[in-house]
Amino acid sequence: MVPEALQLRGAATTSRSGDALAGGVSILRKQAEATQEPRQLQDEANGSSKIVKGSEPESAVATAVSHALWLWNAKHHASEFLYQTRTQVLLTTESWLPASIAQRVFGHVSGTASAARTDAEEVEHAEDQRSMLTMTEGPITCIAWHPHRSLVAIAHRATDAVFLYDLAHDTWCSNVLQNAYMQGITSLAWQPNCGYTLAVGCTAGVCLWSMLPGSHSQQPADSQQAPSLGAAQFSAWMTLMSFPLLGSSHKYPASLSHSDKSTLHRSDASVSALAFSSSGQWLVTGHQTHGHLTVWDVALGSATPIRRSGNSSRSATLHVGISPNGRYVVSTHASGQLRLWETENWTSRVWSDLRVNASQIVWSPDSRSLFFFVAGSADIFALALYRPPPSLEAEIALVTSFEPHDTAPSDGGSNSTERIRVGAAIKSLALDPKGQRLVVSFEDDSASAMADISLLAVYLVSAEALFRAGASSSALMPLGYIRGPGWGEQLRVDTPDSALPESSTKKKRARLGLPIPSWLGFAPNFESGALLSVAWANGKVSFVPMLFNAGAFTK
């Protein structure tokens, strides 16, 4: 047996050796941790250095972007500051000058009160002169014949809607073309060689309507014709053609609800006149607020502004006409200018020596001449092109002047003293597609209460006379007159005549209830001669056939 003292001594020895062993383990752990800490710090340092090296390009890009934004903001603020300073200087200088001198000096300097007054005056003047169609009386604004069908589109002034009349079936189409954008209609034109596609010029721009007629099964059993719009309901959809903006002052509306019936403000897109080329490939539009034309590629929907320079570019376009061969475009403007364009290089020639605004233009079928008149005048002019396209060598000549005169009525009246007064300032012209008949309507002559403006004058046309020396005056030969509806229902009253003694009176035809013509146009196809359509101020539309021999004119 081991003595107790030895056991106690051995336990003590064992405990000491255990403590020493534990202490040794802890020391090793501390040494290992001590050696690991520098390694971790070194790894972290290496990692952070790697991260810094990787972010150097990104920080450089961010710095460059920040500098670019700062420079852009500085330029923007500098430009705004310079503009405000310039405007303030102009306004101060303008306030020191008399009103008449300031209007002349600053009338076309943007940002001044004089320029604002000039713009307002030009807009008001253009509103009066922008289109002869919008100055018509009655509910009908304008009419457009389909180039290949006996179909007529009629624009209604009060409702800003377009109604379609199928003359072949003698019926109104059941569908009515109407849209919230289509307000202030000024012009209509069917697209040739493209089925049923109608362009409507209005305040918002051009509304391009596409129509799809019903199936063949909806046609009459004995009908051999292609589907017609007048037979049944048809599908129609409208595309608002987007115009390129000429300035940043106007923002075109992104959308317009159908419930919004408020009148749209006139802008760069406001159309005063439009016309399709004979192929239907492109469309030319004139505008109410400026004199630039816009040429459209209808298939692509792309627009190209044909800009004009100078003060004349601020005048509204009154009329646009494309020659039948598509090689020339003519436009008239509220500044009194007539401009002829050739469509190969789009160069132009301008006539500025007209007394007042040139108005409606009608081309001859051979595209070598055109007829027009000037506002407030009874003169008819002709422009003759002496060389083939694209030459702009042309001359303007006075062809005839319709002087107002008294004549006896041809309604079978037995009283030889009864007279009617015919003629006044010319209101509109219409030339048939064969170039054989020219029809003229007249303005309301308020100076003469007896002027019978319901009569339309008809001329026989010889365009070849324009190209013979000294024979331009024989290009038009008067044929007679066309009466309006209800012409024979006028009242006859006794009125004093200043040419006779005071006690004498004579019978004159009163102007009470006379129908007033508001639009003239010919159907594009009429085999037997020419078919004239006349819109009257009372809302009626007349169709007047003219049967004539193409070789009846004596040269």
Side-chain angles (χ1 to χ4, degrees), residues 28-46:
L28 291 177
R29 288 179 179 176
K30 291 180 180 179
Q31 289 179 353
E33 291 176 358
T35 57
Q36 289 177 357
E37 288 180 359
R39 291 180 182 176
Q40 292 178 355
L41 294 176
Q42 185 176 0
D43 293 340
E44 291 178 358
N46 293 336

Side-chain angles (χ1 to χ4, degrees), residues 302-424:
S302 59
T304 303
I306 307 299
R307 300 177 182 272
R308 297 166 56 204
S309 59
N311 294 334
S312 60
S313 63
R314 303 167 63 91
S315 301
T317 302
L318 302 180
H319 187 81
V320 173
I322 303 177
S323 62
N325 61 6
R327 304 297 299 274
Y328 292 101
V329 174
V330 65
S331 60
T332 63
H333 304 271
S335 59
Q337 291 185 348
L338 183 147
R339 187 176 291 265
L340 178 68
W341 302 82
E342 52 86 16
T343 59
E344 183 173 332
N345 301 308
W346 287 103
T347 58
S348 65
R349 179 182 175 184
V350 62
W351 284 265
S352 303
D353 54 352
L354 301 175
R355 293 174 296 174
V356 289
N357 297 334
S359 297
Q360 190 174 4
I361 298 167
V362 290
W363 278 95
S364 62
D366 59 3
S367 301
R368 298 177 60 198
S369 60
L370 59 87
F371 296 96
F372 69 94
F373 66 96
V374 295
S377 171
D379 299 331
I380 300 177
F381 297 88
L383 185 148
L385 294 162
Y386 294 106
R387 294 184 181 274
S391 173
L392 293 174
E393 183 180 345
E395 290 184 4
I396 293 178
L398 175 63
V399 177
T400 188
S401 180
F402 193 99
E403 296 296 336
H405 59 277
D406 292 340
T407 184
S410 58
D411 58 349
S414 59
N415 192 348
S416 59
T417 62
E418 184 182 358
R419 313 287 289 178
I420 59 172
R421 187 167 181 81
V422 181

